[in-house]
Amino acid sequence: MAGLFQPAAGVPGGAAVALDEVEISILRSLTVQLLELIGPGPGAGEDGGEQDPLAALMADGPTEPPSDLALARLFPDAYGGPGAGGDEETREAAAEFRRYTENDLRARKREDGLAVVRTLDSLAPAGEGGAVLTLTPEQSRRWLGALNDLRLAIGARLEIADDEDGDELYALPDGDPRKPMVMAYLWLGALQESLVETLAP
């Protein structure tokens, strides 16, 4: 394996990838930062720990889009929403949609991120500081979601709105402070693409 996902031997519908210690550390660090950005769910304790399931079920979500650009990319407005300058009826529909869906969406994104951290933490070294990560079909779906969210968040920080915006960033000199983030963005994209291809029927 050349650092990209391939079908997992002995795990029907699963995927596997060889990762070295640095790649494992980067993936884990980025995912933890993503989890911190998403934040704890409704009903979480003051320390962000165990959630009260009833409080989480009864809690209304926000009605306004996040002010943070990365969060706004992760939780976009429906129907154009308040940020799109639509008419009053459209803005109200978007706010109502967000109120009833954002908490569930945040919970799913948290679960995807936690699945990545847990699978990375369970890796056993495979010699020379690397390991082979093997994912079940369910874990693979969680990884796809988390990889997508990581790229969306990093893309927002780099102000990449579409492929054309990224062209200039790909040619950044090594001394540019954005270069490491661009490299992470490209690497995550390659991982995501290889996982999609691996899982495709």
Side-chain angles (χ1 to χ4, degrees), residues 116-129:
V116 170
V117 172
R118 289 177 186 134
T119 52
L120 291 173
D121 287 349
S122 70
L123 280 175
E128 297 186 8

Side-chain angles (χ1 to χ4, degrees), residues 135-158:
L135 302 176
T136 65
E138 173 61 24
Q139 289 170 330
S140 296
R141 287 189 288 275
R142 294 286 187 188
W143 267 73
L144 267 180
L147 288 171
N148 186 61
D149 289 342
L150 284 168
R151 291 193 77 238
L152 286 173
I154 293 172
R157 293 287 185 248
L158 293 170

